[in-house]
């Protein structure tokens, strides 16, 4: 090998090492970024998870359909209303109506998803039940809402939403806005 060939090889190796160093440092140069998720995008994702069938207290069969999301940015909450069908034991006729609940949005970084927490049942309206029965059913609805919120994500991030410019990101913060969510992503360290 000649001196010129060795110099050329060293020059190429040095440039390659420098390029690798620059590319590796790019991931630390890229800072947090905000991504907006529209209400319609969240609604579409949620609709794919319905209908939901639940057995509550090992007695009542509850079917939830037609989810409708709305935003409450002034309270940092999201409202969810669903149609409900309840089949009590020993009765062949089901009760039909609706449930309205709300909760605070939280990120689950392990599942790359947004969930509702601190769920509260805001309204229960079941046809064929008087007011006292509806109050009692509201307690059962609270259990359903709590289970639903822990098991059903409002939105799940796609893998391509977690990568940007060759860098892996993780969601770290979420804010409710008038037209959707703003999610802050930070590079994985």
């Amino acid at each position: 090998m000649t001196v010129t060939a060795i110099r050329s090889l060293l020059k190429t190796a040095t440039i390659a090492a420098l390029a690798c160093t620059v590319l590796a440092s790019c991931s630390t140069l890229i800072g947090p970024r905000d991504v907006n998720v529209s209400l319609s995008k969240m609604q579409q994702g949620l609709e794919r998870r319905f209908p939901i069938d639940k057995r509550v207290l090992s007695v009542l069969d509850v079917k939830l359909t037609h989810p409708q999301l709305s935003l409450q940015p002034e309270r940092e909450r999201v409202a969810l209303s669903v149609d409900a069908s309840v089949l009590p034991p020993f009765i062949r006729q089901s009760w039909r109506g609706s449930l309205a609940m709300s909760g605070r949005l939280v990120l689950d970084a392990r599942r790359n998803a947004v969930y509702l927490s601190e769920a509260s049942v805001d309204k229960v309206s079941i046809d064929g039940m008087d007011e006292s029965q509806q109050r009692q059913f509201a307690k059962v609805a609270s259990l359903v809402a709590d289970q639903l919120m822990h098991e059903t994500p409002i939105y799940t991030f796609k893998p391509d939403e977690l990568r940007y410019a060759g860098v892996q990101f993780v969601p770290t913060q979420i804010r409710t806005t008038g037209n959707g969510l703003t999610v802050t992503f930070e590079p994985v360290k």
Side-chain angles (χ1 to χ4, degrees):
M1 225 182 203
T2 66
V3 173
T4 307
I6 293 174
R7 282 186 184 158
S8 177
L9 185 61
L10 286 174
K11 185 178 178 183
T12 303
T14 303
I15 291 173
L18 183 61
C20 287
T21 303
V22 168
L23 286 174
S25 68
C26 281
S27 68
T28 59
L29 295 176
I30 296 177
R33 65 187 186 102
D34 287 341
V35 174
N36 294 316
V37 180
S38 70
L39 177 61
S40 64
K41 197 171 182 180
M42 288 187 301
Q43 180 70 41
Q44 288 171 355
L46 191 59
E47 285 172 354
R48 285 192 294 270
R49 293 175 173 86
F50 279 74
I52 293 176
D53 293 302
K54 287 276 175 207
R55 177 157 275 196
V56 181
L57 301 173
S58 300
V59 196
L60 295 174
D61 291 319
V62 179
K63 183 173 189 164
L64 304 175
T65 59
H66 305 106
Q68 286 297 310
L69 279 174
S70 61
L71 302 169
Q72 300 173 338
E74 66 285 348
R75 297 176 54 208
E76 281 292 317
R77 291 176 77 81
V78 171
L80 173 63
S81 64
V82 294
D83 291 341
S85 173
V86 180
L87 184 60
F90 313 117
I91 299 176
R92 295 207 183 266
Q93 183 180 358
S94 65
W95 296 321
R96 297 190 185 284
S98 62
L99 300 174
M101 57 196 93
S102 63
R104 190 176 60 80
L105 293 170
V106 294
L107 287 167
D108 185 332
R110 271 184 326 143
R111 296 190 269 183
N112 292 322
V114 177
Y115 289 84
L116 287 181
S117 72
E118 300 172 15
S120 65
V121 175
D122 301 327
K123 183 178 177 188
V124 175
S125 176
I126 304 293
D127 300 335
M129 282 188 184
D130 64 31
E131 194 172 317
S132 95
Q133 287 175 315
Q134 287 199 34
R135 277 195 304 273
Q136 289 175 347
F137 185 73
K139 294 174 185 170
V140 172
S142 232
L143 292 172
V144 171
D146 205 39
Q147 283 181 351
L148 178 68
M149 297 308 130
H150 291 305
E151 297 171 2
T152 308
I154 296 296
Y155 185 77
T156 302
F157 298 103
K158 296 175 187 83
D160 65 322
E161 292 175 304
L162 300 172
R163 282 193 81 67
Y164 179 73
V167 177
Q168 186 69 32
F169 282 81
V170 62
T172 57
Q173 185 180 13
I174 191 164
R175 290 178 309 282
T176 306
T177 65
N179 58 355
L181 306 177
T182 300
V183 183
T184 301
F185 290 90
E186 292 185 12
V188 173
K189 297 183 174 142

